C-alpha cells in the first residue's frame, strides 16, 4: 500500500487511493470515534444536504443521531444510493485522496453529525501503530466488499438485489419485533429503488410480491417489518432458480 508524505509543516501523510479512503468509516467505528464524537454536532433536517457533489472533501462525519444516505446522481438526474448510515457510523470518507466529493449526502431523518477534520484524523493514525494496522485491514475488507457489489450489480436480478438490500437493512437498522424486525425509519419505495438501481414501479411490484408471500409487511407511510430468516431462505431459492426465471429482472 502506497502512502505518500505530506508537507513537512503538517508532519502527516495523505491518502492516495479510494480503497484507503473507504476504509476510514470501518476504522472509525471502533475506538477512534470515541475521541471525536463528543464534539459539538451539526443538525440537519430531513431532506437537508450534509454535502454536495463537487464540494471540498476535507473532513468525515460521525452520525450521532438520525439517518443519512450517500448517493450518486447522473447528469440526467438518476440517483443510485451508495449507502445508508445510522448512528455510530462515519460517512464522507470517499475521495479524500482527490479532495473533492464525488457523491452527495442527504439526511433521511432529522440528524445530528459531528464533523471530523482530515488533519485531526491523520494525526491520530500517525501516532497510533495499532490504529494504522486496523486501517490496513479495513482497506482489504473494503476491497472484498467492493468486488462483491460489482458482481451483484452485473449478474443478479432486480429481485435478488432487492431481497439482499432488505436483509442488509434489517441487519443494520432493524429492531427486534414480533415475527422478525422493524425498520425504525420510514423508507420510501423510491429510496429502495435508488438503493438497488431499479425503477420505482418495478420495486413497488416486487415489494407487493414479497408482502403476498408474508416476508415483509408495511402500512402506507409506515415502518416496514420483515423476517430476515425467511428472506434469507427465499434468497437462497432465488439463487437456485437462476436469474433468467426470475420475474422483475428489468429496470
Amino acid at each position: 500500500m502506497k502512502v505518500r508524505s505530506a508537507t513537512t509543516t503538517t508532519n502527516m501523510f495523505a491518502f492516495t487511493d479510494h480503497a484507503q479512503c473507504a476504509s476510514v468509516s470501518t476504522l472509525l467505528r471502533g475506538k477512534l470515534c470515541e475521541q471525536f464524537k463528543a464534539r459539538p454536532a451539526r443538525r440537519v433536517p430531513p431532506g437537508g444536504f450534509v454535502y454536495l457533489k463537487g464540494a471540498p472533501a476535507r473532513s468525515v462525519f460521525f452520525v450521532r443521531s438520525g439517518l443519512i444516505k450517500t448517493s450518486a446522481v447522473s447528469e440526467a438526474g438518476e440517483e443510485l444510493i451508495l449507502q445508508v448510515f445510522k448512528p455510530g457510523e462515519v460517512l464522507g470518507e470517499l475521495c479524500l485522496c482527490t479532495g473533492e466529493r464525488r457523491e452527495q449526502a442527504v439526511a433521511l431523518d432529522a440528524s445530528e453529525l459531528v464533523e471530523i477534520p482530515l488533519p485531526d484524523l491523520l494525526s491520530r493514525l500517525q501516532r497510533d501503530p495499532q490504529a494504522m494496522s486496523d486501517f490496513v485491514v479495513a482497506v482489504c475488507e473494503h476491497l472484498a466488499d467492493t468486488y462483491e457489489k460489482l458482481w451483484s450489480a452485473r449478474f443478479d436480478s432486480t429481485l435478488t438485489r432487492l431481497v439482499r438490500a432488505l436483509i442488509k437493512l434489517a441487519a443494520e437498522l432493524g429492531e427486534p419485533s414480533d415475527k422478525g424486525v422493524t425498520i425504525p425509519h420510514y423508507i420510501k419505495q423510491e429510496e429502495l429503488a435508488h438503493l438497488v438501481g431499479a425503477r420505482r414501479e418495478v420495486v413497488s411490484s416486487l415489494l407487493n410480491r414479497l408482502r403476498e408471500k408474508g416476508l415483509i409487511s408495511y402500512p402506507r407511510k409506515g415502518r416496514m417489518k420483515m423476517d430476515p430468516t425467511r428472506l434469507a431462505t427465499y434468497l437462497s431459492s432465488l439463487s437456485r432458480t437462476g436469474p433468467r426465471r426470475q420475474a422483475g429482472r428489468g429496470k
Side-chain angles (χ1 to χ4, degrees):
M1 179 187 304
K2 179 182 178 182
V3 178
R4 65 175 171 82
S5 297
T7 60
T8 56
T9 56
T10 59
N11 191 32
M12 293 182 295
F13 59 86
F15 300 115
T16 58
D17 62 61
H18 293 300
Q20 294 176 6
C21 297
S23 68
V24 171
S25 62
T26 303
L27 178 63
L28 283 178
R29 288 172 192 167
K31 61 181 180 180
L32 286 183
C33 69
E34 296 295 329
Q35 304 174 26
F36 297 114
K37 67 181 183 181
R39 294 183 176 186
R42 167 187 166 191
R43 295 182 179 181
V44 183
F49 286 94
V50 179
Y51 55 78
L52 292 167
K53 179 181 178 182
R58 300 169 181 164
S59 59
V60 295
F61 295 86
F62 175 84
V63 183
R64 181 179 291 174
S65 65
L67 200 66
I68 306 292
K69 70 173 180 179
T70 55
S71 57
V73 181
S74 69
E75 294 183 358
E78 296 179 341
E79 180 183 3
L80 176 64
I81 293 180
L82 304 175
Q83 197 164 350
V84 177
F85 298 85
K86 65 182 183 298
E89 296 186 327
V90 173
L91 68 141
E93 74 281 3
L94 294 179
C95 300
L96 291 174
C97 56
T98 65
E100 181 179 292
R101 302 293 184 192
R102 297 296 180 87
E103 81 287 311
Q104 65 182 25
V106 180
L108 293 174
D109 286 346
S111 305
E112 290 188 347
L113 302 101
V114 176
E115 186 169 5
I116 304 171
L118 183 57
D120 292 359
L121 171 62
L122 296 182
S123 177
R124 183 67 183 90
L125 288 177
Q126 188 181 41
R127 296 195 308 270
D128 189 339
Q130 183 59 51
M132 177 57 71
S133 176
D134 293 341
F135 175 72
V136 173
V137 172
V139 170
C140 298
E141 291 176 346
H142 172 75
L143 288 175
D145 184 59
T146 298
Y147 283 126
E148 182 179 351
K149 289 180 180 178
L150 289 173
W151 177 273
S152 177
R154 176 64 179 85
F155 296 105
D156 288 339
S157 70
T158 304
L159 179 57
T160 296
R161 297 200 305 273
L162 176 60
V163 174
R164 280 183 174 158
L166 292 174
I167 293 173
K168 184 176 181 180
L169 287 175
E172 296 182 350
L173 303 178
E175 297 178 348
S177 65
D178 58 320
K179 299 181 180 179
V181 301
T182 297
I183 304 300
H185 306 276
Y186 171 47
I187 306 295
K188 299 179 181 178
Q189 291 184 0
E190 184 178 8
E191 302 293 354
L192 286 174
H194 292 162
L195 189 62
V196 301
R199 298 196 311 271
R200 188 198 64 77
E201 295 81 3
V202 173
V203 169
S204 177
S205 176
L206 295 177
L207 286 173
N208 285 334
R209 181 190 303 183
L210 296 176
R211 181 163 54 182
E212 291 170 357
K213 291 180 177 292
L215 301 175
I216 64 173
S217 64
Y218 56 92
R220 182 176 178 82
K221 294 186 178 181
R223 296 179 177 182
M224 181 178 294
K225 295 183 179 181
M226 61 187 77
D227 186 331
T229 302
R230 293 187 61 196
L231 280 172
T233 300
Y234 183 60
L235 180 62
S236 297
S237 71
L238 294 178
S239 299
R240 293 192 299 270
T241 301
R244 291 188 177 183
R245 297 182 58 185
Q246 296 175 28
R249 182 177 177 82
K251 298 186 180 180

